[in-house]
Amino acid sequence: MQPKTHAPEYLKHFAEEGHGYPAIKSAELWLGSLVTFAQDAELTPALLADWKSSLRGYAPSSVNRAITVIRSFIRWGRVRGYHALDRDLVSDALRYVEVSTRVPVALTTEEIRTLCIAARAEIRVATFLALGLLTGMRPGEILRCAPAHHQPDRGLLCYATKTGRERVIPLADNPELAMLLSGAGHGPAPYCAGFSTFHWDTLCRAALGRTIPRKILRSTHSCYLASSKHCTEFEYQSRMGHSAEVANAHYRSMIQGVKGETVAQWLGAEAEIQLLVRRVCQ
């Protein structure tokens, strides 16, 4: 069985099964990786093991997604009689890698305040930081966020980059977000147009003396949100766009002493966030 020969047929079958857009793109990505690696070679356990080794450098979760795609492809090929590879040898070649379970990392209240103060110097940085803290969106979702996504009667529409699902971030307990969305822009361009990782790293070095990943804004929002007494389990899952299992495993870490009734108050930096939003709306 040559991956190059049978990959198009499998991908067509996979799409016809009704899988969502993210799953289809993942299948195309990782099966394409195997096709490129194998070239004209026949599929063998040894080739599969070598292909898996070529994925060194990817995060364990990404490697496991790739393995899932290829295992599915191999099962499909076996059912259709395209190969007779030994199941045990295939399983040995495509063993899942261990994924460490880590406590979600969240910025401290003091770090949030420090970043908000420093970010006021550059409007693109200020906008990205404010949206990240107030919404918990992923970095890619923040960069796509535009005035057209703001619906005052519903909230802020967020189109998940990983799942392809739409979720709505409410504004009732988020007056600072409502202020930002109303005053930051009115054209078709995204709120954070022109923002790059360089701007973020520059802010972090200046404010905290180190670089931190942009996605820490999502885990920070998540942890403070989960620790508030005013956000129910259903609301938490709806805002973050995850099932309870995923949310509890990867995005929740209880923060002590969270008080208030709005997102900015839960983060413990209401005054600093308000000044940050005013800077964005100038």
Side-chain angles (χ1 to χ4, degrees):
M1 175 178 172
Q2 285 187 336
K4 181 174 71 174
T5 302
H6 295 97
E9 183 184 352
Y10 170 75
L11 291 173
K12 181 181 178 182
H13 161 79
F14 189 80
E16 290 173 348
E17 281 188 322
H19 293 280
Y21 177 79
I24 293 173
K25 298 305 291 184
S26 179
E28 291 175 349
L29 171 66
W30 296 117
L31 189 51
S33 168
L34 178 62
V35 168
T36 301
F37 183 85
Q39 297 293 323
D40 296 322
E42 291 287 329
L43 206 58
T44 65
L47 185 144
L48 291 170
D50 290 342
W51 169 77
K52 179 187 171 185
S53 296
S54 75
L55 300 180
R56 289 196 184 111
Y58 285 97
S61 57
S62 296
V63 174
N64 286 342
R65 280 194 292 271
I67 290 173
T68 296
V69 168
I70 302 309
R71 283 188 169 196
S72 176
F73 173 62
I74 291 171
R75 286 195 300 271
W76 170 85
R78 181 179 289 111
V79 169
R80 281 158 179 76
Y82 294 151
H83 70 83
L85 295 175
D86 184 274
R87 286 182 171 85
D88 292 335
L89 293 178
V90 169
S91 295
D92 288 341
L94 295 178
R95 288 187 182 277
Y96 288 109
V97 299
E98 183 177 349
V99 179
S100 62
T101 56
R102 296 171 296 178
V103 175
V105 177
L107 296 168
T108 65
T109 295
E110 189 57 38
E111 288 174 329
I112 294 172
R113 291 171 178 167
T114 301
L115 284 170
C116 287
I117 293 170
R120 297 207 300 265
E122 221 288 336
I123 192 165
R124 289 171 294 187
V125 177
T127 306
F128 184 88
L129 178 63
L131 284 172
L133 289 172
L134 293 171
T135 67
M137 290 192 291
R138 299 177 179 89
E141 295 165 353
I142 298 173
L143 296 178
R144 288 184 177 86
C145 186
H149 299 156
H150 177 210
Q151 298 186 4
D153 58 331
R154 294 184 64 195
L156 176 63
L157 298 184
C158 175
Y159 299 92
T161 53
K162 287 183 70 173
T163 65
R165 301 191 197 98
E166 174 189 298
R167 67 182 188 275
V168 178
I169 299 170
L171 303 178
D173 56 10
N174 213 337
E176 287 75 20
L177 178 60
M179 183 192 309
L180 186 155
L181 297 175
S182 298
H186 303 285
Y191 289 111
C192 295
F195 177 86
S196 69
T197 303
F198 170 79
H199 298 112
W200 173 253
D201 289 344
T202 301
L203 167 68
C204 294
R205 290 193 189 97
L208 304 177
R210 68 185 194 278
T211 58
I212 53 178
R214 297 176 300 169
K215 64 181 180 182
I216 199 172
L217 298 179
R218 177 170 170 80
S219 58
T220 296
H221 176 91
S222 171
C223 292
Y224 282 86
L225 183 67
S227 304
S228 73
K229 297 180 180 179
H230 296 273
C231 184
T232 67
E233 188 79 14
F234 174 77
E235 290 174 325
Y236 175 80
Q237 294 173 41
S238 298
R239 291 183 192 221
M240 300 306 296
H242 282 298
S243 66
E245 180 182 0
V246 173
N248 290 330
H250 300 289
Y251 288 102
R252 295 188 69 159
S253 180
M254 302 308 288
I255 307 293
Q256 299 299 318
V258 174
K259 300 178 181 178
E261 297 183 353
T262 68
V263 173
Q265 290 172 357
W266 298 335
L267 292 168
E270 182 179 27
E272 290 79 7
I273 290 176
Q274 287 178 348
L275 289 173
L276 186 69
V277 170
R278 291 194 185 103
R279 168 71 177 95
V280 173
C281 295
Q282 285 179 350

